[in-house]
Amino acid sequence: MESLKISKFAKTIIMSLAEKKQGLLHIIEEADEKLTGLLIALATEYNDADHEYSKQELDFFNDRRKAFYDNNKVGSSTEEVREKVRRNYKNGV
């Protein structure tokens, strides 16, 4: 009989909450500073998911969105973005 392979992602879906917490605890115990910071940022964002934006913030987002669509430019390639970041970094921006 052929064995069925289940991905790690699929396994996490069928795990109980207690098993997920235990797995997460293991990851946290083994985490370096970078991963710890990422986990804290993720948890903070998750907890702030119900944040409501102010009118000023929404206006800013809408203005940026409108400017993007009015520009008629599709976007930049990955290399163009990298070059812009390099140039800005070099110029102290």
Side-chain angles (χ1 to χ4, degrees):
M1 183 174 178
E2 193 175 316
S3 65
L4 179 65
K5 282 190 164 185
I6 300 175
S7 72
K8 285 184 180 182
F9 177 73
K11 287 179 185 176
T12 61
I13 291 174
I14 58 176
M15 292 170 62
S16 71
L17 180 58
E19 290 171 323
K20 289 176 183 178
K21 286 182 177 182
Q22 193 63 37
L24 186 56
L25 250 163
H26 177 72
I27 291 169
I28 291 169
E29 288 171 353
E30 302 294 320
D32 61 6
E33 190 170 335
K34 181 179 179 182
L35 180 56
T36 303
L38 289 171
L39 291 171
I40 290 170
L42 178 64
T44 302
E45 278 298 312
Y46 177 80
N47 289 330
D48 289 344
D50 294 331
H51 171 77
E52 292 195 24
Y53 293 101
S54 69
K55 179 171 177 7
Q56 183 181 8
E57 290 170 319
L58 291 173
D59 289 344
F60 174 77
F61 296 146
N62 287 328
D63 289 346
R64 291 288 305 265
R65 181 179 180 276
K66 184 178 181 326
F68 173 79
Y69 285 113
D70 289 347
N71 190 6
N72 290 328
K73 186 175 179 187
V74 174
S76 303
S77 70
T78 305
E79 192 51 46
E80 289 171 326
V81 171
R82 286 182 181 151
E83 183 56 38
K84 184 176 180 180
V85 169
R86 284 186 201 108
R87 190 174 49 250
N88 287 345
Y89 180 75
K90 189 186 283 187
N91 294 329
V93 176

